[in-house]
Amino acid sequence: MAELQPSGLAQVFMESRERLLRFLAARGAGEAAEDLLQELWERVSAAPAQPVAAPLGYLYRAAENLMRDRYRADTSRARREQDYVDATDAVVAEPGIERALLARERLRAVEAALSALGPRAEQVFRQYRLDGVGQADIARSLGVSLSTVEKDLQRAYRALGALRESDDAE
């Protein structure tokens, strides 16, 4: 089977790889220089073989264009993220008195529903959902079986589900 020979541009790329990498790093690519070089290689190797008058200059220009595209994309992404943060901060920062009162009332209802389950079920739910303790660890610390912990969690979920359904009905 015949081995494929790289195009002239691909050959120049392979011979100048280190120089291109230094070029990207010197222009501020930092840790992204390798990624940009890989992207450049993908473009060069996928391009149809056509003669290029100054292949090294072409590669430098293509690398610079990739950096510019990456910079624009990063800037645009950062701007979108900041706009999102600004928009959500404005909404979250001022919940309003009515909304805060409703949230406190709902919290009291959730606490009452959990309390009605008994101290162990309430403790299991709080440790698992709020403290992030694993079910097996909870079972060991309380001296109960894993099945008991699971059943307590199911009871808590059912109670909170019923509370949510009653809230939705109102």
Side-chain angles (χ1 to χ4, degrees), residues 114 118-128 131 138 141-142:
L114 289 174
R120 188 188 69 218
E122 182 179 6
Q123 182 180 3
V124 165
F125 178 81
R126 287 180 185 277
Q127 284 185 335
Y128 182 69
D131 299 336
I138 295 170
S141 71
L142 295 177

Side-chain angles (χ1 to χ4, degrees), residues 151-164:
K151 288 176 185 173
D152 284 342
L153 285 172
Q154 289 173 0
R155 286 180 40 224
Y157 293 145
R158 278 195 298 274
L160 294 177
L163 181 62
R164 175 177 245 164

Side-chain angles (χ1 to χ4, degrees), residues 64-133:
E64 192 172 322
N65 288 341
L66 282 174
M67 278 196 58
R68 192 174 297 122
D69 291 347
R70 171 85 52 108
Y71 173 78
R72 286 178 184 152
D74 290 347
T75 303
S76 178
R77 183 181 315 106
R79 190 177 321 115
R80 276 193 316 272
E81 289 173 0
Q82 188 59 48
D83 289 347
Y84 176 78
V85 167
D86 292 345
T88 56
D89 282 350
V91 171
V92 173
E94 300 178 30
I97 294 173
E98 182 179 334
R99 193 168 172 193
L101 289 174
L102 288 173
R104 280 192 207 117
E105 184 178 312
R106 185 171 182 119
L107 179 60
R108 276 190 230 109
V110 167
E111 288 174 340
L114 289 174
S115 180
L117 297 175
R120 188 188 69 218
E122 182 179 6
Q123 182 180 3
V124 165
F125 178 81
R126 287 180 185 277
Q127 284 185 335
Y128 182 69
R129 294 300 293 187
L130 302 178
D131 299 336
V133 179

